[in-house]
Amino acid sequence: MNLSTNCTNRCLRIAQALSSKYDVEIVGTTFGVGKQWGVGIWPPLEGMTVPIRSVRGGYMPGYIKSIWKLLSYIDGDVIIACKPRFPSFGIALIKKILAGKPVILDIDDDELAQTSAGKRATLFKKLINTTAYLYTRITHRLCGYADCVFTVSEHFRGIYGGIIVPHGQDPLELDPGKYDRNKIREELRINEHDTIIGFIGSPQYQKGVDLILEAMASIGNPCIKLMIVGASTDDAYVEQLKKQYGPSLILIGPQPLDKLPDFLAAADLIALPQRDVPESQGQMPAKLTDAMAMAKPVIASALADIPYYLHNCGLVVEPGNVHQLKTGIEWLVNNKQDAIKLGQNGRRFFLEKLTLNAMLAVMEPEIQRLTNSYKIRG
């Protein structure tokens, strides 16, 4: 996988859940972002307790040297390949052939949709870039060679089979009782009279951040602000939002993961209005788990398993329906006690189904089955 981007977040959660029972290590490639190939591990991972070993990314054929180094780093009894892409699942399959190691494939996104722009690339570019569409399409054809599949939604399970492993979180770390909302808002210089809609993560078109701002504009209340945490200053989409909706925006750059609870505590509600596009279908936003852990009322698009998560715990709207989004935001703002109850229900749902221990309870039987099966073969 690309250790330079936020896709590492899912891998980290799996590793954290397993680390209470197993020795776990994350191994991957730093491909960087955009033209910054090979530039460092995703900054929010700094200070994490799970060991991380990385190799420098690059184009073929130079990347072959990194592949051999990666193979030497992979020494576990079970390999979990996060995402069906060549630098993760493809290399895991090579290790399976060379060392007889069982491979679990974890799928939390439609990687073919994520890389579809690569269809238009020249053949030369397709052949040298192992993170792009051609290699991803080839790797997808090998999904049947995984010994087990983890997914995040019924949508993906219907396609790939396997079991659902939700995005989990640590209930002690994300405990709303540990954080002083008023103090945090004061440190962030947020007006006490403002209602803050939170969006934590990388703002992208398919995530519908502009829809939130459009809904806010139609409400016309200057005290409702959108706080985006993870906004890059050189992102064209963010710049467009800033230009069009500047006074309604609070923009905060990428933050360490241990600061996540602070920003959630500062928000009054969380909005996740993803568009119904291939990149979003089947996806379960990790930030939904985070919000529910912190007892925040959520309004989100009715995609994948989100309606199940938010039953009596939040509001769901049709993807792309700004009027429904506007109505939902107004209701949450004007019915604060009911909104608080939704958030509390979300916290209870989280404690029952979305903790790291809940992840472990689902994964452990499969890992034990594979371990025993390969021992017998050996």
Side-chain angles (χ1 to χ4, degrees), residues 133-182:
Y133 180 79
L134 176 62
Y135 283 89
T136 303
R137 186 180 69 182
I138 293 170
T139 303
H140 266 73
R141 293 178 178 175
L142 302 175
C143 287
Y145 290 97
D147 295 280
C148 176
V149 174
F150 294 163
T151 68
V152 294
S153 67
E154 290 290 352
H155 175 87
F156 287 135
R157 183 161 71 169
I159 298 172
Y160 301 100
I163 62 172
I164 293 179
V165 178
H167 294 306
Q169 263 291 9
D170 184 346
L172 298 179
E173 181 180 342
L174 270 72
D175 179 353
K178 292 172 57 176
Y179 299 91
D180 187 332
R181 172 183 177 274
N182 293 332

Side-chain angles (χ1 to χ4, degrees), residues 172-249:
L172 298 179
E173 181 180 342
L174 270 72
D175 179 353
K178 292 172 57 176
Y179 299 91
D180 187 332
R181 172 183 177 274
N182 293 332
K183 181 179 178 181
I184 293 170
R185 285 169 68 107
E186 184 179 340
E187 291 173 352
L188 293 172
R189 297 181 180 178
I190 294 174
N191 190 303
E192 61 178 323
H193 301 296
D194 285 345
T195 296
I196 302 299
I197 301 173
F199 181 90
I200 318 294
S202 303
Q204 297 171 352
Y205 173 79
Q206 68 266 23
K207 297 180 181 179
V209 178
D210 57 298
L211 301 179
I212 304 172
L213 288 160
E214 186 178 344
M216 289 167 51
S218 65
I219 294 172
N221 184 344
C223 292
I224 301 177
K225 303 289 177 63
L226 175 63
M227 177 178 68
I228 301 177
V229 182
S232 176
T233 55
D234 60 353
D235 185 281
Y237 180 62
V238 173
E239 285 301 311
Q240 178 185 340
L241 297 178
K242 186 177 178 181
K243 182 177 180 180
Q244 189 171 358
Y245 301 104
S248 300
L249 275 172

